[in-house]
Amino acid sequence: MKENHFLRALYPSLDKWDIDYNLVKEKIFNCKFSTNNIEYCLLNLESIYTDLDKLHTYILLKTELNIKDNEIKNRLREIEYLYTVIYYKTEVLNNFIRGNLETIISIVSTNPKLYRFKTYYKKMFIKKDGEDFLENVYYQLDLEKKYESLLYESDFLCKINYNHENIIIKHNELLTALNNNDRTFRKSVYQNAVQHLARRADDFAFIINIFYQIKNANSLRLGYQSYSEQVLNECIFEIKKEQFKEQVSGVKSLTKEILDIKRRLLEYPEISYHDMYYTINTDSHITLEMAELIIKDALNILGEDYIQVVERAFKEKWVHFDSSINKKFGARSYSSFSSHPYIIMHWNHDLESLFTLVHELGGAIAQYFAQKSESILYSELSILKVEFSSFINEIILIDHLLYRNNYGLNRDSLKLKLLDLLKDSYVIPFEYVSILDILSSKAREGILSKNKINIYYDSTIKSFREYEHFTNFNMNKYNWIKGHEGLNLDYNLQYICAFLFAFNVFQHKRNFKKISNLFCHGEKISDVEYFGALISTLDFNILNQYTLKKIRDMLINL
């Protein structure tokens, strides 16, 4: 699909974007926010952020579709700079609002033009005052970008010798290579990839040590013993470390059960790391037309309103499916207040593509409904709500394919896909949060060197996966390098919470149509309010124990 056609709902061309960019830039630099005219300030700010969102979404999508185009990247940086400018230009205004918050709430509550801001200032406005020195240091270091630059310093990941031929594997080819039917090929790719990354282990460890030291220091300032304690306590469940460790024990046991079922389905005498991503690469050819049919059939239980949006997504071409060497690998959905949401992915006509599509549609459609929430202030949903929407789509789809209609797809592939879904959405997030916990705790005792990280990572992973039929690979102790991509292990706790909510909503098979109705409120309703309206308890222990039991019941029938 041509880029201009794909992005036409935002801008017909880059030239038109440039024109709007200059107008918005001028508007930002010329605007003055006086505390004497609150109505003007709030309406003007809302307008500016709406304009910036449109500019940012378009140029971000252009960047993702043209990852080697430095000119486009420069434009993205220009937009990010404008966000910084408007942030500092409104500093005096925001400090005034903090000091007079009750008065401001009264003003917006009685002014029809401003009434939509009431929820924002009552529930969402950041009330804390002053600069956060450590957070500023962290953002100035831009560790995520430095880590990513080191990880992806070139497209090349590793080289293997296969059937007397040298084959180069690029970063964006790794998952495809690990789903190759030839087990010897998969093993060679996995081991060589880890060994290649291990060459720069000292450099990666240097960044990771700084990351955990700064995060720990900030958490200590806030009254926590470690970064991991803060992450656990500030999630929707307000988890205590002891609670988490209790639940980890059950997940470790389940992990070994999942691995052994996979081993038996594949008829292997043993299983190892290079088998973790394999789901049987069959000759099934899933067309986009077939994918649309399957997805609409499966998601029909979410209600007519939801299915109408699914139909719009296909008809209006919200998804960029084409593969290109210039296109960022992976898949992602993008919210847009000024247009429909967007999805970028690579369509390979296989089962993995089908589940990637239904996952990203979940996030995109949730964001679409959130646009009905009156203002850009509420339209960007929390990570937890977006991931919940994505996970429940996947859970509904795998249940539909396994127990209702498999559309001629290989049943063993579907069974393996269920195991894969449980691994990626539930088990591995528990592994990563456990790794975050031990590394943040050990960082308090001293520097995290390469060798120390190897030991802590290896022992944690083995505690989840090692059993009598699992074969270890010594160099896997370096796989923390890939695992820390994005330096966002804390994100995995959101995965855990979202999966628990999605799995429990599905198991009880009620409130399906309520899901999209609640999304229409956007961030006007908090995560606690949203999920409290869908399920009967927000107790982490109860939800996780129920999930473990129900998953084991499912596995018995495989």
Side-chain angles (χ1 to χ4, degrees):
M1 185 193 304
K2 296 287 186 181
E3 272 180 43
N4 286 345
H5 184 71
F6 177 59
L7 300 174
R8 69 192 184 283
L10 288 168
Y11 289 101
S13 67
L14 193 55
D15 289 340
K16 183 63 174 72
W17 183 92
D18 284 332
I19 292 170
D20 269 17
Y21 167 76
N22 287 320
L23 290 171
V24 174
K25 180 180 178 181
E26 183 179 4
K27 183 178 180 180
I28 289 172
F29 278 93
N30 289 337
C31 69
K32 295 178 181 179
F33 298 100
S34 168
T35 56
N36 295 324
N37 193 341
I38 294 297
E39 179 181 312
Y40 167 81
C41 289
L42 297 187
L43 294 176
N44 198 26
L45 265 177
E46 182 183 44
S47 172
I48 287 171
Y49 276 112
T50 301
D51 292 340
L52 281 174
D53 179 74
K54 184 178 179 183
L55 288 165
H56 182 260
T57 302
Y58 177 85
I59 211 65
L60 177 61
L61 288 161
K62 290 282 284 187
T63 304
E64 306 283 69
L65 295 169
N66 301 273
I67 55 174
K68 297 180 180 180
D69 191 326
N70 290 324
E71 186 180 340
I72 298 294
K73 288 179 182 178
N74 287 335
R75 282 181 168 89
L76 181 59
R77 281 191 281 270
E78 289 169 6
I79 287 295
E80 290 167 349
Y81 172 68
L82 289 186
Y83 274 108
T84 303
V85 171
I86 197 68
Y87 172 81
Y88 284 110
K89 290 199 78 167
T90 57
E91 207 167 13
V92 172
L93 174 66
N94 284 328
N95 285 335
F96 172 80
I97 291 173
R98 287 188 187 98
N100 300 273
L101 193 55
E102 291 304 317
T103 302
I104 298 299
I105 291 172
S106 176
I107 290 171
V108 299
S109 299
T110 55
N111 186 330
K113 292 182 181 179
L114 304 179
Y115 189 77
R116 62 182 176 274
F117 300 115
K118 179 181 176 181
T119 302
Y120 176 75
Y121 284 108
K122 285 191 74 173
K123 296 169 64 175
M124 298 169 62
F125 184 69
I126 299 172
K127 300 179 180 65
K128 69 176 183 178
D129 225 338
E131 291 280 328
D132 190 326
F133 172 73
L134 287 169
E135 281 298 311
N136 283 343
V137 169
Y138 177 77
Y139 286 116
Q140 286 173 25
L141 287 172
D142 203 1
L143 295 177
E144 290 94 343
K145 187 174 182 180
K146 289 179 173 60
Y147 198 91
E148 185 177 349
S149 297
L150 187 60
L151 190 60
Y152 298 111
E153 58 186 346
S154 74
D155 292 337
F156 175 86
L157 176 58
C158 66
K159 181 170 68 173
I160 67 167
N161 187 276
Y162 179 70
N163 289 340
H164 309 293
E165 180 183 353
N166 287 327
I167 299 174
I168 290 175
I169 304 295
K170 297 179 180 179
H171 281 280
N172 62 351
E173 298 169 336
L174 178 60
L175 288 179
T176 301
L178 291 176
N179 200 33
N180 189 288
N181 284 328
D182 190 323
R183 197 177 183 211
T184 303
F185 179 88
R186 299 200 305 271
K187 182 177 181 180
S188 181
V189 168
Y190 188 90
Q191 293 185 351
N192 279 279
V194 174
Q195 287 167 354
H196 177 77
L197 292 174
R199 297 176 307 110
R200 303 289 299 273
D202 284 315
D203 296 331
F204 286 111
F206 180 78
I207 296 174
I208 283 175
N209 177 62
I210 295 173
F211 170 81
Y212 281 107
Q213 299 297 349
I214 292 177
K215 289 292 187 181
N216 269 349
N218 194 51
S219 297
L220 287 168
R221 184 182 63 81
L222 296 172
Y224 297 99
Q225 293 300 305
S226 66
Y227 174 50
S228 62
E229 183 179 79
Q230 180 185 354
V231 168
L232 288 166
N233 188 251
E234 290 184 354
C235 81
I236 189 170
F237 293 123
E238 299 179 355
I239 306 169
K240 303 298 181 187
K241 287 184 72 170
E242 296 73 22
Q243 267 185 294
F244 185 77
K245 289 177 180 178
E246 285 174 13
Q247 296 306 314
V248 164
S249 177
V251 177
K252 285 179 178 179
S253 176
L254 177 68
T255 304
K256 297 172 177 64
E257 292 174 40
I258 289 172
L259 285 171
D260 202 53
I261 292 170
K262 182 167 189 172
R263 178 189 69 82
R264 287 186 273 115
L265 282 171
L266 293 172
E267 299 180 346
Y268 291 165
E270 40 73 36
I271 194 166
S272 189
Y273 298 105
H274 53 274
D275 301 312
M276 299 287 287
Y277 304 91
Y278 182 57
T279 55
I280 300 183
N281 195 358
T282 66
D283 293 330
S284 298
H285 184 84
I286 304 175
T287 64
L288 286 174
E289 293 75 19
M290 184 179 177
E292 181 178 1
L293 170 67
I294 293 171
I295 289 172
K296 287 197 300 190
D297 283 354
L299 301 184
N300 190 55
I301 61 174
L302 293 176
E304 185 179 345
D305 290 347
Y306 197 94
I307 292 301
Q308 285 178 355
V309 182
V310 173
E311 289 173 345
R312 280 194 61 188
F314 282 97
K315 184 179 179 180
E316 297 174 9
K317 302 188 185 306
W318 294 7
V319 190
H320 192 285
F321 291 106
D322 302 341
S323 293
S324 164
I325 58 171
N326 295 321
K327 183 177 177 180
K328 187 174 183 178
F329 64 87
R332 186 182 166 191
S333 64
Y334 305 77
S335 62
S336 172
F337 189 71
S338 302
S339 69
H340 59 70
Y342 288 86
I343 296 171
I344 291 179
M345 64 172 289
H346 298 260
W347 184 258
N348 297 315
H349 301 279
D350 56 9
L351 195 60
E352 190 62 34
S353 298
L354 178 66
F355 275 84
T356 298
L357 176 57
V358 84
H359 179 96
E360 297 303 337
L361 277 172
I365 292 172
Q367 296 284 17
Y368 170 83
F369 282 119
Q371 290 176 1
K372 301 178 185 293
S373 59
E374 293 186 291
S375 173
I376 194 169
L377 287 170
Y378 314 114
S379 66
E380 186 72 27
L381 289 174
S382 68
I383 291 170
L384 188 55
K385 293 189 187 84
V386 171
E387 294 301 342
F388 160 78
S389 184
S390 298
F391 284 150
I392 199 159
N393 274 14
E394 286 195 83
I395 292 168
I396 290 170
L397 178 59
I398 191 61
D399 180 80
H400 184 78
L401 291 172
L402 275 172
Y403 306 113
R404 286 162 181 78
N405 188 345
N406 66 12
Y407 303 88
L409 298 174
N410 183 283
R411 183 159 176 79
D412 282 343
S413 288
L414 293 173
K415 290 178 180 179
L416 288 168
K417 184 58 198 176
L418 170 61
L419 299 178
D420 204 43
L421 192 159
L422 295 172
K423 167 182 69 72
D424 291 340
S425 308
Y426 183 58
V427 168
I428 287 182
F430 263 99
E431 290 180 345
Y432 280 154
V433 175
S434 299
I435 291 163
L436 180 149
D437 181 37
I438 191 168
L439 291 182
S440 64
S441 297
K442 294 297 182 181
R444 290 204 60 198
E445 301 173 8
I447 293 172
L448 291 173
S449 65
K450 168 189 71 179
N451 291 334
K452 286 182 179 178
I453 299 173
N454 283 350
I455 292 168
Y456 303 143
Y457 174 84
D458 198 40
S459 62
T460 302
I461 291 297
K462 283 180 179 177
S463 70
F464 277 86
R465 303 183 187 181
E466 207 166 55
Y467 76 109
E468 59 180 330
H469 295 296
F470 191 85
T471 301
N472 189 42
F473 163 51
N474 185 52
M475 285 295 288
N476 193 69
K477 64 189 177 185
Y478 285 97
N479 207 29
W480 54 265
I481 295 172
K482 182 68 174 171
H484 272 81
E485 180 180 5
L487 297 182
N488 57 356
L489 264 65
D490 56 321
Y491 197 97
N492 285 275
L493 187 57
Q494 301 293 334
Y495 277 147
I496 293 170
C497 298
F499 182 83
L500 290 177
F501 287 134
F503 190 82
N504 278 265
V505 169
F506 176 77
Q507 286 294 318
H508 289 98
K509 291 184 169 53
R510 62 171 182 263
N511 293 332
F512 283 140
K513 295 178 183 179
K514 206 173 183 180
I515 291 171
S516 51
N517 291 334
L518 288 168
F519 279 140
C520 293
H521 297 283
E523 285 302 290
K524 281 185 173 181
I525 58 174
S526 67
D527 288 344
V528 170
E529 290 168 324
Y530 181 88
F531 293 106
L534 291 177
I535 60 177
S536 58
T537 180
L538 298 184
D539 184 287
F540 176 64
N541 289 2
I542 293 173
L543 287 177
N544 195 59
Q545 285 299 310
Y546 176 83
T547 299
L548 285 168
K549 180 183 183 304
K550 288 297 180 180
I551 288 176
R552 285 195 167 95
D553 291 344
M554 290 167 57
L555 297 181
I556 290 172
N557 297 321
L558 277 188

